[in-house]
Amino acid sequence: MKKLLPLFLFLCSCSRTAKINVSMNAPSWMQDQLSVSVQQPDKIPAVFADGYILMNQRDDPGSMLITDAAGHIVWYHQVKGTGCKSAHFTHRKTILCILGDKTYPTSYGNEILEISLTGDTLLHLKKGTGDFTSNVHHEVLLTADDHVVMLTSTEKIADLRAQGGGERDTVKSDGILVTDRHGKKIWQWSVFDVLDPAADKDILHTRSDWMHANSLSFDKDSNYLISFYNNGQIWKLDAKTGKVHWKFGRGGDFSYPDSAGFDMGHAVHLNADGDLMLFDNGVSRQQSQTLAFHLDLRHRRATVKIKAVLPAYLFNERMGSAYLTDNNSILQCSSKRNTLVLGNREGTPLWTMRCTFIPYRAEFISREQLLPYIFN
């Protein structure tokens, strides 16, 4: 069995001095959380069979897990006293995650942790450090020059009398904060910079969680792609000016077939083909799917490149992700069904993994990305 060397377990919260024990096997109670079944073994691509999957557990104790395609845990990092709300494999070959205890709901937290595959803590920012003064949620990334980019909670006192509200109502929404590795602000943006909540006719119903940004990624030009759960849109933001270059989705700037309509998407990113890819919760249809679009920026038209519909029993109304493993297969995460699915571009399951916990996302990591940490 392929493993990563070394394998580390943190025995206490990383917010304190952590004692590290080295182990070559995940404990049986942790390994027993995963079970794999293979529906079409002859169609599983070699890159997936030789590759790995990153997941995270949001309950206390929080953990980050890397498994192989057989469902064996080959690396893990556990933090007691808090949950791991989301996790990314970075260009530094490290794991970057959001931490938050049970007082922080779902994908919200108050700490950012970067850990190496050898168990070293490379970055640990706590809310209150420098300009990191708001809750972080859903997403934390590293720029090419290793600055920290996070989705944050923000709020504004607004006059909502035009919509039947009060003169000084609180509207809660989202922002982006970029800091150096010491928490010093480099750049900041807010939904309130570009939208007026008083102009939203539904604001009295949504003011406690207006927009609900749920993913952030980089476009090929290093500007931002940000998705919003509540209005079914994806925006491209200028990473220097904060200008909205375009809006894609419901009521956006692009035309696309009605059959590829989506709502409440997650894990929006550019895939290896350069197409805009997302996991569509599909709440209005009660059926989830993966979609990828080629955007014609000049004519503001979108062409559907992937439409992989999950079986009805894997409908996933919240959370979820979808990433290409090669040109013909997609790793989809149906979080609310505790299931990962490797499928083809039409959505036919080839391989599934069941989890006893709710996996917020499942990122595919190729073997090459983990060199030189792999040994056989």
Side-chain angles (χ1 to χ4, degrees):
M1 180 181 77
K2 302 183 292 297
K3 292 183 179 179
L4 299 179
L5 177 67
L7 177 70
F8 284 89
L9 168 63
F10 265 47
L11 296 181
C12 59
S13 171
C14 66
S15 62
R16 303 186 295 275
T17 301
K19 180 181 178 182
I20 302 174
N21 277 358
V22 180
S23 169
M24 294 317 301
N25 294 289
S28 59
W29 66 264
M30 182 176 283
Q31 185 61 66
D32 290 344
Q33 294 178 109
L34 308 174
S35 62
V36 166
S37 60
V38 181
Q39 286 75 36
Q40 299 191 42
D42 58 323
K43 295 185 178 179
I44 294 177
V47 67
F48 180 78
D50 290 338
Y52 301 89
I53 302 163
L54 171 66
M55 292 182 286
N56 60 282
Q57 292 182 271
R58 300 187 301 169
D59 297 327
D60 178 12
S63 61
M64 294 154 273
L65 311 173
I66 297 179
T67 79
D68 63 17
H72 301 128
I73 297 173
V74 298
W75 182 94
Y76 68 96
H77 180 90
Q78 191 175 62
V79 188
K80 296 185 72 173
T82 192
C84 180
K85 300 306 186 78
S86 70
H88 274 303
F89 187 72
T90 77
H91 65 273
R92 290 157 50 96
K93 300 189 179 184
T94 62
I95 310 297
L96 186 67
C97 67
I98 296 172
L99 301 179
D101 63 27
K102 61 183 179 182
T103 64
Y104 291 87
T106 57
S107 301
Y108 291 75
N110 63 335
E111 300 180 58
I112 294 171
L113 175 71
E114 183 186 13
I115 187 144
S116 72
L117 292 177
T118 55
D120 296 314
T121 297
L122 305 177
L123 173 72
H124 186 197
L125 286 178
K126 298 181 185 179
K127 180 182 173 182
T129 301
D131 298 304
F132 176 20
T133 57
S134 300
N135 293 340
V136 59
H137 65 90
H138 288 84
E139 205 81 76
V140 59
L141 307 168
L142 291 181
T143 65
D145 49 3
D146 294 332
H147 292 148
V148 181
V149 184
M150 62 189 90
L151 281 176
T152 59
S153 299
T154 185
E155 59 183 51
K156 180 180 181 178
I157 303 299
D159 183 348
L160 302 183
R161 287 176 293 177
Q163 303 298 344
E167 184 178 359
R168 292 182 56 81
D169 280 349
T170 300
V171 180
K172 297 181 179 180
S173 196
D174 315 287
I176 299 172
L177 176 65
V178 183
T179 74
D180 65 15
R181 297 181 69 82
H182 303 286
K184 182 179 179 181
K185 181 176 70 176
I186 294 172
W187 188 81
Q188 194 167 17
W189 174 89
S190 166
V191 167
F192 298 116
D193 295 342
V194 294
L195 285 183
D196 178 7
D200 185 347
K201 61 182 178 59
D202 296 321
I203 191 61
L204 297 187
H205 302 291
T206 60
R207 58 187 164 182
S208 63
D209 187 18
W210 191 44
M211 303 295 284
H212 191 91
N214 62 11
S215 74
L216 185 69
S217 61
F218 297 109
D219 201 347
K220 57 187 175 183
D221 56 9
S222 298
N223 288 312
Y224 297 119
L225 299 171
I226 182 172
S227 63
F228 298 99
Y229 185 82
N230 286 345
N231 74 345
Q233 287 186 348
I234 300 158
W235 295 0
K236 178 173 178 174
L237 295 177
D238 192 293
K240 294 181 179 179
T241 68
K243 175 185 175 182
V244 179
H245 287 282
W246 46 255
K247 299 178 182 180
F248 178 68
R250 188 167 64 237
D253 301 323
F254 292 79
S255 64
Y256 53 89
D258 291 341
S259 60
F262 62 92
D263 54 14
M264 303 178 178
H266 277 87
V268 174
H269 65 283
L270 284 189
N271 64 23
D273 297 330
D275 296 325
L276 187 68
M277 188 163 175
L278 62 104
F279 183 86
D280 171 29
N281 294 109
V283 174
S284 62
R285 301 179 313 279
Q286 297 288 287
Q287 189 160 41
S288 302
Q289 62 185 339
T290 293
L291 294 167
F293 298 89
H294 172 73
L295 302 186
D296 181 341
L297 300 178
R298 180 180 178 185
H299 299 101
R300 291 293 196 257
R301 289 195 297 261
T303 304
V304 181
K305 293 296 185 179
I306 296 174
K307 182 178 171 65
V309 181
L310 279 173
Y313 68 91
L314 290 175
F315 166 61
N316 183 58
E317 62 270 28
R318 303 282 291 187
M319 304 175 282
S321 63
Y323 299 98
L324 288 176
T325 61
D326 69 352
N327 288 334
N328 298 308
S329 60
I330 306 161
L331 179 64
Q332 299 180 85
C333 176
S334 179
S335 305
K336 297 291 283 184
R337 301 297 172 259
N338 297 55
T339 303
L340 312 187
V341 180
L342 179 75
N344 59 22
R345 284 182 171 242
E346 291 71 46
T348 304
L350 310 175
W351 168 103
T352 57
M353 178 190 288
R354 290 279 298 168
C355 312
T356 61
F357 59 92
I358 295 175
Y360 174 61
R361 287 181 186 156
E363 285 190 355
F364 175 71
I365 308 172
S366 70
R367 178 182 175 86
E368 289 71 21
Q369 287 175 286
L370 284 180
L371 294 174
Y373 296 97
I374 299 172
F375 77 102
N376 291 318

